[in-house]
Amino acid sequence: MALLPPDPVFCLRSPEACSYYSLCFHTPEHLYAGTDKGTVQLWELNTNRTSYQLAVGSSPLLNLAHTSDALITQEKDGTVKLWALADAEYLLRHEISTEHVGFCRLAYDARTSTVIVPRDRAAISVLCGKTFSETMRLTPTADDEKALPYGTVMCFLPVELQSQRYLLAGYESGALVLWDCRTGRPVSSTTHYVTENADCVQTIDYDPVTNRGVCGGSADKLSVFSIDRNTHQLLPKSDIAIKNAGVHRVRIRKDLKVFASAGWDGRLRIFSWKSLRPLAVLTEHKGELLDVAYSEAKVTMWNAPVMAAAGKDGQISLWDLYK
């Protein structure tokens, strides 16, 4: 007899009518949520109530990242801000315009203390995490784009290979490219995801332990790939079919047991990371799902780490998938 999908341990509902675009755990008890109204809500998971709200701007908050002492926000209009935590509130310290209006999310690389942001079209900037000064810009040349169409950058992820930093990036054309962060040049790319239907890569995650990654986007599948450790070539491995096309987010859990995809159809799909077998389809949400986040440690109220998911229906679902 098949097991029924689990129920969420709790659902947080916004105190204001809004959609959620982004989620970020700072500690297991503190969950930050970015709204379509340009605000950040801080949820206390020991009470399941909001304790703080930060007015960032008027554009939806596409992504959030938290360092040890600062909050980084990214607005859909291309504005990225650094907020320093002081006396129990956040104060604006730095602000830049990336000239990128779209859905590509910034990435914070804790190992190098850098913030990676999309720029106009296919360009990507690496910024100092303290000052927001640009340390490198990754821009494909005309010869690069002649060999492989790029289009607008849609997603990226910093990775480490043989103790060196690289950046995996997905583009509007479906191209997947590995950039060398020392030279600022692409070292490998693949056309496996470039199709006649122009399915773009919108989300990507990678596990260095098994040397496998997974990406998704506007297609009705998730694609698994690996990276040759010697040549650094991107190697397509397999595809996982999904019932309805469109994925905003894929996230591999840190224990490498499962990964989740957040669908345009409002479905939260859970897969085994070892076998890639589908485990459950969670149907709590009634609108597009836009983000998924995992707590790093146990949340006291449920004595377990939790997964949080959110989207356009204005609620954040919390799940204990460890049991």
Side-chain angles (χ1 to χ4, degrees):
M1 181 177 179
L3 293 174
L4 293 175
D7 292 322
V9 294
F10 203 85
C11 285
L12 309 172
R13 289 177 172 81
S14 174
E16 55 179 318
C18 68
S19 299
Y20 289 111
Y21 273 65
S22 51
L23 296 171
C24 171
F25 279 97
H26 177 37
T27 70
E29 312 293 341
H30 292 156
L31 176 63
Y32 293 76
T35 75
D36 63 337
K37 296 185 175 181
T39 60
V40 177
Q41 298 171 359
L42 171 56
W43 288 87
E44 302 281 352
L45 297 190
N46 53 1
T47 62
N48 293 327
R49 297 179 181 275
T50 55
S51 63
Y52 183 79
Q53 181 163 291
L54 175 67
V56 174
S58 58
S59 183
L61 290 180
L62 200 60
N63 207 16
L64 305 172
H66 210 295
T67 71
S68 59
D69 58 359
L71 176 68
I72 303 167
T73 61
Q74 178 191 13
E75 298 168 61
K76 191 179 176 184
D77 67 5
T79 305
V80 176
K81 297 176 181 177
L82 178 72
W83 305 82
L85 180 59
D87 298 326
E89 65 176 340
Y90 288 94
L91 304 176
L92 182 61
R93 289 289 185 254
H94 298 288
E95 175 180 349
I96 64 166
S97 174
T98 64
E99 302 94 36
H100 177 93
V101 180
F103 290 95
C104 184
R105 301 170 188 259
L106 66 78
Y108 176 68
D109 189 348
R111 294 200 179 186
T112 58
S113 297
T114 55
V115 180
I116 305 163
V117 298
R119 291 288 190 174
D120 188 38
R121 286 191 53 75
I124 301 169
S125 277
V126 181
L127 310 177
C128 171
K130 295 292 186 182
T131 65
F132 270 15
S133 57
E134 185 176 75
T135 60
M136 179 174 286
R137 184 170 293 210
L138 311 175
T139 306
T141 64
D143 288 340
D144 293 332
E145 295 210 78
K146 185 177 180 180
L148 175 65
Y150 281 62
T152 303
V153 62
M154 301 297 293
C155 60
F156 43 69
L157 179 77
V159 298
E160 186 170 298
L161 303 171
Q162 298 173 323
S163 301
Q164 299 295 333
R165 303 303 284 175
Y166 294 84
L167 189 73
L168 275 167
Y171 294 85
E172 185 180 20
S173 66
L176 194 63
V177 179
L178 182 67
W179 292 85
D180 189 330
C181 292
R182 294 166 298 176
T183 64
R185 298 291 303 135
V187 293
S188 66
S189 57
T190 178
T191 60
H192 176 71
Y193 311 103
V194 179
T195 68
E196 292 181 0
N197 298 325
D199 296 320
C200 62
V201 181
Q202 290 188 305
T203 178
I204 191 169
D205 206 355
Y206 173 77
D207 161 30
V209 176
T210 61
N211 186 30
R212 285 192 308 178
V214 59
C215 60
S218 57
D220 58 354
K221 65 181 180 180
L222 301 174
S223 296
V224 180
F225 63 91
S226 65
I227 304 173
D228 187 290
R229 295 188 188 275
N230 296 317
T231 65
H232 296 153
Q233 291 299 304
L234 292 163
L235 306 173
K237 303 294 286 185
S238 62
D239 292 332
I240 305 169
I242 54 177
K243 184 175 182 180
N244 299 315
V247 172
H248 280 297
R249 198 75 149 141
V250 290
R251 298 295 296 272
I252 304 168
R253 203 169 65 186
K254 295 297 184 183
D255 65 357
L256 308 182
K257 299 289 187 183
V258 300
F259 76 97
S261 70
W264 297 3
D265 60 359
R267 301 296 190 261
L268 189 62
R269 293 177 171 85
I270 311 300
F271 301 85
S272 164
W273 182 232
K274 181 179 180 180
S275 68
L276 305 179
R277 182 170 59 91
L279 301 177
V281 179
L282 308 179
T283 59
E284 184 67 26
H285 291 268
K286 306 307 177 187
E288 282 185 65
L289 280 173
L290 296 171
D291 206 2
V292 176
Y294 303 104
S295 67
E296 294 284 344
K298 290 181 178 180
V299 177
T300 302
M301 181 171 288
W302 298 289
N303 192 34
V306 300
M307 178 182 70
K312 291 193 174 181
D313 64 355
Q315 69 170 338
I316 303 170
S317 59
L318 304 175
W319 306 83
D320 174 10
L321 301 180
Y322 288 79
K323 299 175 183 178

